[in-house]
Amino acid sequence: MTEMLGGPFFSVAGAGESHGPGITTIVFGCPPGLEISRDRVQTFLDRRRPGGNKHGTPRNEKDKVVFLSGLYQTDHEALLGPSTISVNVDGNTFETEAYERGFTTGEPIAALVLSTSKKSGDYTQFIGPSGQVRPGHTDLVKYHKSQGYVDIRGGGRSSYRATISDVVGGSIARQFLETTFQTVLISSINQVGELKSKGSLAEQCQALYDRFRRDDAPTIIPPDAIADLQQTIDNAEIPSVDPDFAEQAGELIKETRKEGDSLGASVEVVALNVPSLLGDPLYQSLKARLMGALGGLNAVQSCEIGSGKAVVSRRGSANNDPIRSSGYVGNTHGGLIGGMTTGMPLICEVGFKPTSTINKPQQSVSKDLTEIDFELEKGRHDPCVGVRAGVTLESRLAIELMNAALSQRSQSLADGLPSIFG
């Protein structure tokens, strides 16, 4: 079965297990002429990588990406190197230069990230039919789904490491969106365990939108204003618009790690300067696609758009966003109505369960369903997976938005994209 993010116009395929040689990514459908640099893609991977945040897993992977296809420019010195790829087969070493900077050709873009920090011996307690099952993890279902032919090292394909492909593909999508529409994606943690932030990313983004609102054209928030907001998030103890909350959350995560336990988290992800009318109603609704893409991420248990479940307690008169000739006055709808974008900030909130792999005794079974008292012998794991999740959520949102934009282009003979206001 083919499994891809996005599609059919822009899609991302990935392959590779947590402790395999590496993670391979192939990006399909990127139009020709988009300038891509390895360094820019690397900045997003650095936000995702294990060891990139002191409150994440102690596993430290450098996660350096190399590009193998789909890029070109006539200046071959700028196109190639200094990155190289080297393999040794039967005592023979083969080395070649990788792509560093070029323009997309319209052909599939292939990328590779090697896995070099592995301790596969930590997973021997999970081998075979008598292998133990971690409660909350995929150990049991993956073993029986694969008829026993499953890679147990580091969780195999179910590992969060598989999201490298999300970020590689998403980094290309977000460069297309930024270049074409000035669309920018941003995320912030607003809850860790029972600890909640006082402010929200949604509120700050809406304030930016209102500050720069235009009556005669679609509202575009300037890059420097978004960069200031991003800087606030980056400077916090964990990625959040609320520095005080981030400081307290960091301490909570630290203490929970010492206890051998884990925490859940809630992460807001917002797209700014989104063109209106992207998406379709009903079965290819952008709402449905986003809930699938964001809700389908590892460890996610909930996905809400706009005001989310808070709308349940409201009356229609309070929940409906007023509309004037210049646009929507409010944004309880979160930038989506009827499965299509309205041009307002596209707001999603995603809830992550506590990391399943913990260092506390638990009741469980072995894979042959023998009941056991489970205790983790070894392993390196995130005490709160939400700390590293923001860039992956941004990436998945970018992939779906780019696919929707290309789909919209395919349905119109007019230049550019249609809009509602301005």
Side-chain angles (χ1 to χ4, degrees), residues 263-286:
L263 292 159
S266 179
V267 183
E268 295 175 278
V269 56
V270 177
L272 298 168
N273 302 336
V274 179
S276 59
L277 304 179
L278 300 186
D280 292 290
L282 300 178
Y283 307 119
Q284 288 301 313
S285 157
L286 188 57

Side-chain angles (χ1 to χ4, degrees), residues 49-329:
R49 75 175 183 86
N53 184 291
K54 65 182 179 181
H55 296 296
T57 172
R59 177 175 176 175
N60 194 338
E61 289 275 9
K62 301 305 180 186
D63 283 352
K64 298 299 183 182
V65 65
V66 290
F67 284 96
L68 312 179
S69 71
L71 304 179
Y72 186 73
Q73 63 167 304
T74 55
D75 182 350
H76 291 185
E77 289 187 2
L79 174 68
L80 299 168
S83 304
T84 60
I85 306 162
S86 179
V87 296
N88 187 289
V89 180
D90 296 331
N92 298 303
T93 299
F94 306 93
E95 185 173 286
T96 187
E97 295 170 297
Y99 293 147
E100 192 70 19
R101 177 187 293 272
F103 294 90
T104 56
T105 63
E107 303 293 342
I109 301 167
L112 173 66
V113 173
L114 297 181
S115 300
T116 57
S117 177
K118 298 171 285 191
K119 293 184 178 180
S120 298
D122 290 354
Y123 295 86
T124 54
Q125 75 180 111
F126 308 116
I127 294 176
S130 61
Q132 299 178 358
V133 171
R134 292 167 288 182
H137 210 285
T138 62
D139 297 335
L140 186 64
V141 292
K142 286 284 285 188
Y143 177 81
H144 288 279
K145 175 78 171 179
S146 68
Q147 301 174 62
Y149 296 97
V150 62
D151 186 343
I152 51 84
R153 302 168 301 165
R157 185 67 183 156
S158 298
S159 167
Y160 196 71
R161 188 153 184 77
T163 62
I164 286 173
S165 294
D166 304 11
V167 177
V168 171
S171 68
I172 293 171
R174 65 197 299 161
Q175 288 180 71
F176 169 85
L177 294 168
E178 185 174 354
T179 301
T180 311
F181 309 114
Q182 302 183 60
T183 303
V184 178
L185 297 104
I186 194 167
S187 62
S188 172
I189 301 170
N190 66 347
Q191 182 174 348
V192 172
E194 295 184 352
L195 186 65
K196 297 181 180 181
S197 65
K198 292 181 179 178
S200 74
L201 178 62
E203 291 169 348
Q204 296 210 22
C205 288
Q206 189 59 43
L208 280 179
Y209 184 90
D210 292 338
R211 174 181 165 194
F212 294 101
R213 180 188 290 271
R214 294 186 58 177
D215 295 334
D216 59 341
T219 297
I220 298 294
I221 302 171
D224 57 346
I226 301 173
D228 288 344
L229 179 57
Q230 183 66 64
Q231 191 65 52
T232 299
I233 295 169
D234 293 342
N235 289 342
E237 182 72 11
I238 63 172
S240 177
V241 295
D242 184 340
D244 293 336
F245 157 77
E247 190 74 28
Q248 296 174 49
E251 287 299 315
L252 177 60
I253 293 169
K254 187 190 301 181
E255 291 304 312
T256 304
R257 187 203 295 270
K258 290 178 182 177
E259 296 168 4
D261 218 333
S262 61
L263 292 159
S266 179
V267 183
E268 295 175 278
V269 56
V270 177
L272 298 168
N273 302 336
V274 179
S276 59
L277 304 179
L278 300 186
D280 292 290
L282 300 178
Y283 307 119
Q284 288 301 313
S285 157
L286 188 57
K287 177 173 70 173
R289 293 184 65 105
L290 288 180
M291 286 185 167
L294 303 181
L297 181 60
N298 311 48
V300 169
Q301 292 290 89
S302 65
C303 177
E304 301 180 33
I305 294 175
S307 294
K309 64 182 179 182
V311 303
V312 174
S313 60
R314 298 175 185 165
R315 296 195 175 190
S317 54
N319 189 67
N320 290 342
D321 293 313
I323 311 172
R324 310 312 297 161
S325 60
S326 59
Y328 289 87
V329 177

